[in-house]
């Protein structure tokens, strides 16, 4: 009897201890970067490679040697605590290291930092899947991106997973990845990789993790801050969003920040989701502390990005390795090509929203290069301009940093109405800071961002002689752009579909820029009013406003036309491009809220085999 009572007391004690353990909070430290863009070496305030003189003056930031040192320092400070190091994509493109080594240098240094997980960015596809396959061959950490859907012929195979589960401090943490839906427009994934819808594929991956008993789920995304706020953070059971793509600095101390760090977003599940991002180019290391309750719900989140400035001592072994890799490219990079009287502004915030000095310079240089061919108009994308240039000597390395994509000059002919359509496309993602914003030469235009997408252009004039005259919709004009845009990149489908007599094989843009600067030195930067913004009185107050933290900007996002279906009932006919894993039952459940209505979709599409749908085929989704 006494033994039984003792046993009962012991059992009660064990249950009490177990219960106490179960209700303990769980703290997770998340260190993160995004949009490294091949900034292997340190950068200056213009985001270009830092000179030895600037290093001597302690004016440099970032670089992988400093970043590695800071990560190791933070890991030592957090010794014994729960820590994850995450990478939100776009490690490729932006310096001669990528131009020379095609992602292998980036892989080497990221391995040294020992990332726990990464999602791919759109620029990881800049060398098609070949470049990404080589990168995947070399890295020693997992890559997760739910909406990258390779075919059986793809070279990347199954090496990119929708999600992973990591055990951190005895707890399971799920990580789901996503890349921008318009990656096929922004880069070159190729015919064997489908990019599915970010929300639908992330939702499916999260549901799968929940089935496995994972209650702490991080969305590691490369879709941009506005999209994270409007859509990703609202997916059921997503607890934290670590993002990239928009190069957004979130901070509680920097007046130039796009929002607070973290930005807390209301999830329909009745809880708040912290959203973070850490600018770009290795200039910041994100540092977030998240506290979960025993059910895996975020109770608190705090932190701030750490500026990787000259106070961080670079890792000496990494510096030595960088110097070794730099030897083959040093001669080209150090060649002085011109002088400039003042800094040339190529900042992201300006070149993607208004006329900027670098945009006018590059457009003028392109037009000057082909003026002997009768070309009178230049249009280039602001997102293709990746850095500013400081005053004084300009090196070839700086020119390549500004224009790192190895794009070539492309010429073609286009009617006036299609030019206007191209400008409308360029203005269609102003709210997101879209890279398609049109910088121009030989042409003037004004726009009103308060107008709906597709009707923002107010006026267009083209240069004839020394004067400007209204654009003639029926007239055929000769244009110069770059081969990426001419082939439909950044949404410029009208160039590909309507352009005539196209030639995409002109000189590289970096060479065109270098030659123009050499011929016009010392160069004096300028803007001259070729792009102007107008607004109604009602819309003027909002003209310069950015999306408020937590604002639902879903209305600014184009409807998804590829990937898995979005979970909303179809009120009218829609289209859907089949993604890997789709079934008619699942599609009916997504579009109509009722799987049993799959026959409606089947009959509208010639009754395909319901569980053997061909990836990439477009389906008609009739109204419910």
């Amino acid at each position: 009897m006494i033994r039984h009572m003792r046993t009962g007391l012991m059992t009660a004690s064990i249950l009490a201890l177990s219960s106490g353990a179960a209700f303990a909070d769980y703290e997770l430290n998340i260190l993160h970067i995004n949009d490294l863009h091949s900034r292997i070496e340190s950068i200056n305030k213009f985001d270009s490679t830092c000179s030895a003189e600037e290093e001597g003056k302690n004016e440099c930031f970032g670089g992988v040697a400093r970043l590695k040192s800071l990560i190791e320092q933070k890991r030592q400070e957090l010794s014994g605590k729960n820590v994850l190091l995450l990478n939100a994509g776009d490690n490729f493109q932006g310096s001669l290291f990528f131009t020379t080594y095609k992602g292998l240098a980036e892989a080497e240094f990221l391995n040294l930092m020992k990332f726990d997980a990464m999602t791919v960015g759109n620029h990881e596809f800049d060398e098609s899947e070949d470049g990404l396959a080589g990168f995947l061959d070399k890295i020693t950490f997992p890559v997760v991106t739910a909406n990258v859907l390779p075919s059986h012929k793809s070279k990347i195979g199954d090496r990119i997973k929708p999600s992973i589960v990591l055990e951190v401090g005895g707890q399971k943490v799920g990580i789901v990845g996503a890349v921008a839906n318009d990656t096929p427009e922004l880069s070159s994934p190729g015919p064997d990789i489908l990019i599915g819808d970010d929300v639908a594929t992330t939702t499916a991956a999260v549901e799968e993790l929940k089935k496995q008993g994972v209650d702490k789920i991080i969305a590691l995304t490369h879709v941009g801050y506005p999209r994270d706020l409007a859509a990703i953070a609202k997916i059921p059971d997503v607890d934290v969003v670590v993002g990239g793509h928009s190069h957004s600095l979130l901070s509680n101390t920097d007046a130039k920040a796009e929002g607070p760090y973290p930005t807390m977003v209301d999830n329909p599940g009745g809880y708040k989701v912290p959203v973070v991002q850490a600018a770009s180019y290795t200039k910041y290391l994100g540092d977030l502390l998240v506290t979960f309750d025993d059910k895996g719900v975020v109770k608190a989140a705090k932190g701030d990005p750490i500026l990787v400035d000259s106070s961080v001592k670079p890792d000496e072994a990494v510096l030595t390795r960088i110097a070794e890799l730099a030897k083959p490219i040093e001669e080209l990079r150090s060649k002085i090509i011109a002088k400039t009287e003042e800094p040339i502004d190529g900042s992201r915030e300006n070149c993607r929203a208004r006329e900027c000095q670098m945009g006018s310079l590059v457009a003028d240089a392109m037009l000057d290069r082909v003026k002997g061919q009768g070309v009178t108009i230049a249009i280039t994308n602001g997102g293709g301009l990746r850095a500013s240039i400081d005053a004084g000597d300009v090196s070839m390395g700086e020119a390549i940093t500004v224009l790192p994509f190895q794009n070539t000059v492309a010429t073609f002919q286009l009617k006036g109405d299609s030019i206007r359509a191209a400008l409308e496309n360029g203005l269609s993602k102003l709210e997101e800071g879209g890279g398609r914003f049109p910088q121009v030469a030989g042409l003037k235009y004004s726009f009103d961002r308060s107008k709906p997408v597709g009707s923002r252009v107010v006026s267009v004039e083209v240069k004839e002689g020394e004067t400007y005259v209204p654009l003639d919709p029926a007239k055929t004009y000769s244009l110069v752009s770059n081969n990426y845009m001419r082939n439909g990149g950044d949404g410029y489908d009208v160039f590909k579909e309507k352009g005539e007599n196209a030639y995409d094989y002109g000189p590289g843009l970096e060479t065109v820029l270098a030659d123009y600067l050499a011929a016009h030195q010392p160069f004096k930067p300028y803007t001259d009013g070729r792009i102007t913004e107008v607004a109604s009185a009602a819309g003027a107050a909002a003209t310069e406003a950015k999306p408020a933290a937590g604002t639902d900007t879903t209305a600014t996002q184009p409807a998804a036309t590829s990937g898995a279906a979005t979970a909303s009932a179809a009120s009218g006919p829609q289209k859907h491009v089949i993604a890997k894993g789709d079934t008619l039952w699942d599609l009916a459940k997504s579009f109509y809220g009722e799987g049993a209505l799959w026959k409606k979709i089947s009959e509208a599409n010639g009754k395909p085999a319901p569980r053997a749908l061909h990836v990439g085929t477009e389906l008609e989704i009739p109204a419910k």
Side-chain angles (χ1 to χ4, degrees):
M1 182 74 176
I2 293 173
R3 192 172 76 178
H4 290 167
M5 183 178 293
R6 185 175 295 163
T7 303
L9 289 171
M10 289 176 64
T11 303
S13 299
I14 292 169
L15 287 172
L17 287 170
S18 300
S19 176
F23 283 94
D25 289 341
Y26 173 79
E27 291 189 342
L28 179 63
N29 294 273
I30 301 173
L31 305 175
H32 60 98
I33 68 164
N34 55 276
D35 297 279
L36 180 143
H37 282 297
S38 194
R39 293 318 201 266
I40 302 299
E41 297 174 300
S42 61
I43 60 173
N44 58 22
K45 64 182 180 180
F46 300 102
D47 298 330
S48 292
T49 302
C50 216
S51 67
E53 181 183 0
E54 289 167 322
E55 283 283 9
K57 294 179 180 179
N58 295 325
E59 296 175 347
C60 299
F61 304 89
V64 294
R66 276 196 179 91
L67 187 60
K68 181 176 182 291
S69 286
L70 181 57
I71 288 170
E72 289 182 350
Q73 176 187 321
K74 288 298 298 180
R75 281 185 169 132
Q76 289 173 3
E77 292 175 6
L78 298 169
S79 179
K81 298 184 179 181
N82 306 314
V83 182
L84 283 177
L85 177 62
L86 303 179
N87 183 319
D90 265 11
N91 299 288
F92 286 13
Q93 202 67 266
S95 79
L96 290 173
F97 283 86
F98 180 76
T99 304
T100 304
Y101 297 106
K102 306 300 182 185
L104 299 185
E106 290 78 5
E108 178 177 338
F109 293 117
L110 294 175
N111 282 342
L112 292 177
M113 298 177 207
K114 300 179 181 177
F115 280 86
D116 291 295
M118 168 191 147
T119 191
V120 297
N122 51 286
H123 283 293
E124 264 72 76
F125 293 103
D126 279 356
E127 297 289 322
S128 75
E129 65 172 324
D130 294 343
L132 180 54
F135 177 82
L136 294 172
D137 287 341
K138 188 162 186 175
I139 59 170
T140 55
F141 49 85
V143 178
V144 291
T145 315
N147 60 332
V148 169
L149 308 170
S151 75
H152 68 280
K153 295 186 291 183
S154 172
K155 295 177 182 178
I156 67 174
D158 62 353
R159 290 180 289 175
I160 297 179
K161 308 292 186 183
S163 67
I164 57 169
V165 178
L166 301 175
E167 187 166 308
V168 186
Q171 297 280 321
K172 291 181 178 180
V173 178
I175 302 174
V176 179
V179 70
N181 289 336
D182 55 354
T183 292
E185 297 176 12
L186 301 175
S187 191
S188 307
D192 295 325
I193 294 179
L194 177 70
I195 303 298
D197 178 74
D198 55 356
V199 170
T201 54
T202 300
T203 300
V206 169
E207 290 174 352
E208 187 60 35
L209 289 175
K210 292 295 288 185
K211 290 177 185 177
Q212 298 174 35
V214 180
D215 63 1
K216 301 172 187 67
I217 299 175
I218 300 168
L220 181 60
T221 71
H222 194 85
V223 302
Y225 181 53
R227 182 70 170 166
D228 281 334
L229 299 182
I232 304 298
K234 296 181 179 180
I235 294 173
D237 296 312
V238 163
D239 298 302
V240 181
V241 180
V242 177
H245 188 49
S246 54
H247 296 216
S248 300
L249 173 61
L250 306 183
S251 172
N252 303 311
T253 56
D254 193 318
K256 296 180 181 179
E258 290 186 40
Y261 183 104
T263 302
M264 303 302 289
V265 177
D266 290 322
N267 185 285
Y271 61 95
K272 289 186 179 292
V273 175
V275 176
V276 292
Q277 195 173 144
S280 58
Y281 302 150
T282 70
K283 193 171 183 178
Y284 293 89
L285 174 65
D287 183 13
L288 178 69
L289 173 62
V290 183
T291 303
F292 296 87
D293 67 17
D294 65 300
K295 293 183 174 62
V297 177
V298 174
K299 289 180 62 177
K302 63 181 181 179
D304 223 28
I306 304 169
L307 179 64
V308 189
D309 61 12
S310 60
S311 66
V312 180
K313 184 180 178 182
D315 183 289
E316 292 297 333
V318 174
L319 285 178
T320 299
R321 180 59 177 151
I322 291 172
E324 292 173 357
L325 292 173
K327 287 177 182 177
I329 57 179
E330 189 58 42
E331 184 178 347
L332 170 64
R333 179 169 56 186
S334 60
K335 180 181 178 182
I336 300 301
I337 56 173
K339 289 182 180 292
T340 178
E341 293 182 9
E342 300 168 5
I344 308 171
D345 175 34
S347 62
R348 180 187 180 93
E349 57 268 26
N350 282 329
C351 293
R352 294 174 178 232
R354 56 189 63 85
E355 180 188 1
C356 69
Q357 292 175 343
M358 192 67 74
S360 294
L361 166 59
V362 171
D364 283 348
M366 293 166 63
L367 189 56
D368 182 74
R369 188 68 167 222
V370 294
K371 62 185 179 183
Q373 301 174 30
V375 177
T376 59
I377 296 170
I379 302 178
T380 194
N381 53 333
L385 310 173
R386 308 304 286 194
S388 301
I389 291 177
D390 54 355
D393 288 343
V394 180
S395 68
M396 189 63 198
E398 287 179 294
I400 295 173
T401 301
V402 172
L403 296 163
F405 300 115
Q406 297 180 287
N407 292 136
T408 57
V409 167
T411 56
F412 56 102
Q413 292 177 311
L414 198 66
K415 287 189 180 296
D417 58 351
S418 294
I419 293 173
R420 190 181 185 98
L423 296 175
E424 289 286 5
N425 168 71
L427 298 168
S428 66
K429 292 199 172 185
L430 278 168
E431 293 80 3
E432 304 167 41
R436 61 187 62 190
F437 185 89
Q439 299 288 337
V440 300
L443 178 150
K444 287 183 177 181
Y445 72 90
S446 62
F447 68 95
D448 183 349
R449 76 170 65 210
S450 70
K451 299 295 185 183
V453 169
S455 58
R456 290 177 166 176
V457 173
V458 175
S459 65
V460 187
E461 296 178 295
V462 293
K463 193 172 185 180
E464 291 188 359
E466 296 303 314
T467 63
Y468 284 86
V469 300
L471 179 76
D472 183 345
K475 183 176 178 179
T476 297
Y477 297 86
S478 292
L479 279 74
V480 60
S481 186
N482 60 67
N483 63 312
Y484 166 70
M485 293 172 64
R486 216 288 305 161
N487 282 283
D490 260 346
Y492 283 90
D493 294 329
V494 66
F495 285 176
K496 182 177 182 179
E497 296 168 2
K498 301 291 187 179
E500 298 179 352
N501 301 318
Y503 184 77
D504 296 334
Y505 310 106
L509 293 188
E510 73 283 357
T511 300
V512 170
L513 173 60
D515 291 348
Y516 188 83
L517 285 171
H520 293 80
Q521 59 177 316
F523 181 76
K524 186 175 178 61
Y526 56 85
T527 56
D528 54 17
R530 63 187 70 180
I531 302 172
T532 56
E533 179 173 355
V534 299
S536 62
T543 297
E544 295 298 330
K546 295 176 181 176
T551 300
D552 187 335
T553 57
T554 306
T556 70
Q557 304 290 335
T561 58
S562 64
T566 52
S568 61
S571 57
Q574 299 185 44
K575 295 183 183 296
H576 172 76
V577 177
I578 297 169
K580 184 179 179 181
D582 279 351
T583 68
L584 292 183
W585 180 279
D586 292 336
L587 293 176
K589 190 174 180 180
S590 255
F591 282 101
Y592 304 138
E594 189 176 349
L597 294 177
W598 67 270
K599 292 183 179 179
K600 182 182 288 288
I601 301 175
S602 175
E603 290 168 358
N605 292 277
K607 298 184 178 181
R611 292 190 178 273
L613 304 177
H614 295 290
V615 172
T617 301
E618 187 174 77
L619 294 177
E620 294 286 338
I621 309 294
K624 184 175 180 180

